[in-house]
Amino acid sequence: MAIKVGIVGYGNLGKGVQQAIAQNPDFELVAIFTRREPEQMTSLLGEVKFEHISAADAYIGVIDVMIMCGGSATDLPEQTPVMARMFSTVDSFDTHANIPAFFDVVDAAARENGKVSVISTGWDPGLFSLNRLLAQSILPEGTDYTFWGKGVSQGHSDAIRRVPGVKGGVQYTIPVADVIERIRSGETPELSTREKHLRECYIVAAENANQEEIRNAIVSMPNYFSDYDTTVNFITEEQLREEHGEMPHGGFVIRSGITGQGKRQIIEFGLKLDSNPEFTASVLVAYARAVVRMSREGQKGAKTVFDVPFSYLSPKSAEELRRDLL
């Protein structure tokens, strides 16, 4: 029986989810929910039903899982708890410092009506989180390093676009290359946040906006830019469209540890992505499958990637997984 899905939000991530659903035959897209006027929306892939987000309650009992595709700065903290009272959900909330508080709010909302909500999926948090857990468990004596980029961060780009006076913009996260090579060679330096990454913003300012005020608002933004060396560049709409229209990303999780009599062991997991939103969307869809399986088992409340068996992400049976992948 097909998993019936709703999408909340139809920006880059929502469009990526629609594409990912098309690649998974056990899913059926029921409707896309938007804050915009539904009749003005057009679908990336053929015909699809658009509904205003306020109409979501009409789909209670119809949609198995709601995939939340808003931004972490303001959308998900408001929308996920509301939807979690009506549907099982999955989201990619990525403000690391606020995850514990977000979990508690969503957990209470989901338990209210016996729903399951997997929060903070994607690749970091998400796949990188799992690899940090795995590496720490295997190498208890060691040091973790996480590097992002070079690439466009969706969450950080969304955050800068919400700064007053910003008409458009993207943010690139850039790892410090020589630091990565030192770690790969076996060094275990103590690094501050600022020493590992640079952040580079390209901004289209609204007409008559104060560029210095925009710059100060960005570089002082807690959880996003205040702990990094951040460069803010002002460009035209044409430059933004032509030079920064793609959304590549990637990164590495590295743990350097010691076993036995001082033998150096290094575990590394990496991603190189042509499209950050399309990849994140694919992770969301896999975890949406897991959400439905857990819901059908009678589980409830908020979950993270640490609570989800890998086998629940796959459409294959346990027998098929043992035969084909073990």
Side-chain angles (χ1 to χ4, degrees):
M1 188 170 64
I3 296 170
K4 292 181 168 54
V5 181
I7 297 173
V8 178
Y10 200 57
N12 290 318
L13 186 56
K15 291 172 183 174
V17 167
Q18 185 185 14
Q19 292 173 310
I21 288 171
Q23 293 180 312
N24 288 271
D26 57 330
F27 283 85
E28 175 189 337
L29 178 58
V30 175
I32 298 172
F33 298 87
T34 177
R35 288 175 299 195
R36 290 175 278 181
E37 294 298 325
E39 59 272 14
Q40 296 178 3
M41 302 292 291
T42 56
S43 169
L44 190 68
L45 298 173
E47 290 296 320
V48 65
K49 191 171 188 178
F50 284 95
E51 293 276 17
H52 193 267
I53 195 169
S54 62
D57 58 354
Y59 288 81
I60 294 174
V62 176
I63 287 175
D64 296 314
V65 57
M66 197 73 86
I67 302 181
M68 310 300 297
C69 297
S72 296
T74 59
D75 295 333
L76 295 178
E78 174 187 336
Q79 293 174 353
T80 298
V82 171
M83 291 296 172
R85 292 184 179 92
M86 300 183 283
F87 307 95
S88 290
T89 67
V90 60
D91 67 58
S92 58
F93 182 79
D94 66 357
T95 308
H96 291 263
N98 295 340
I99 286 175
F102 182 68
F103 178 94
D104 290 343
V105 172
V106 176
D107 186 55
R111 288 183 183 278
E112 198 172 290
N113 288 302
K115 304 303 180 182
V116 175
S117 291
V118 173
I119 71 160
S120 299
T121 64
W123 55 277
D124 198 3
L127 303 186
F128 276 18
S129 312
L130 288 166
N131 279 274
R132 285 188 286 265
L133 171 62
L134 179 64
Q136 286 182 20
S137 302
I138 294 169
L139 297 175
E141 293 187 19
T143 306
D144 284 331
Y145 299 95
T146 300
F147 295 93
W148 306 285
K150 178 182 180 181
V152 175
S153 168
Q154 294 177 92
H156 288 73
S157 296
D158 177 68
I160 63 174
R161 287 192 291 266
R162 293 173 186 272
V163 171
V166 172
K167 191 174 182 181
V170 295
Q171 184 268 319
Y172 292 88
T173 302
I174 305 170
V176 179
D178 63 332
V179 172
I180 295 176
E181 292 310 311
R182 287 171 59 196
I183 294 165
R184 284 174 172 162
S185 69
E187 292 186 40
T188 54
E190 290 188 14
L191 301 169
S192 67
T193 298
R194 196 175 298 274
E195 289 176 301
K196 293 190 292 183
H197 296 92
L198 308 173
R199 295 201 181 276
E200 197 164 68
C201 306
Y202 291 87
I203 303 294
V204 178
E207 190 175 357
N208 300 322
N210 186 312
Q211 293 188 0
E212 195 58 32
E213 287 182 3
I214 292 173
R215 187 190 312 275
N216 290 336
I218 291 172
V219 300
S220 63
M221 192 182 300
N223 299 322
Y224 285 91
F225 298 102
S226 60
D227 293 331
Y228 299 86
D229 288 334
T230 301
T231 303
V232 179
N233 305 285
F234 290 94
I235 59 175
T236 65
E237 287 186 86
E238 183 180 10
Q239 285 177 299
L240 180 66
R241 183 173 58 253
E242 294 183 357
E243 300 173 18
H244 304 283
E246 301 298 324
M247 300 192 74
H249 216 331
F252 310 89
V253 173
I254 305 172
R255 184 166 178 84
S256 182
I258 293 173
T259 58
Q261 302 300 312
K263 299 296 184 183
R264 175 67 57 185
Q265 319 284 11
I266 295 176
I267 299 173
E268 180 173 342
F269 174 80
L271 295 172
K272 185 176 181 181
L273 312 175
D274 280 350
S275 172
N276 183 6
E278 288 186 18
F279 184 82
T280 301
S282 294
V283 179
L284 280 167
V285 169
Y287 275 92
R289 182 182 290 115
V291 163
V292 173
R293 287 184 172 176
M294 290 189 292
S295 178
R296 289 172 179 170
E297 290 175 351
Q299 296 190 45
K300 60 184 179 180
K303 312 289 181 182
T304 72
V305 293
F306 300 140
D307 305 310
V308 181
F310 273 21
S311 60
Y312 283 26
L313 307 179
S314 173
K316 293 184 176 183
S317 68
E319 181 183 24
E320 289 172 323
L321 291 173
R322 289 192 295 271
R323 183 193 66 210
D324 299 340
L325 300 180
L326 194 58

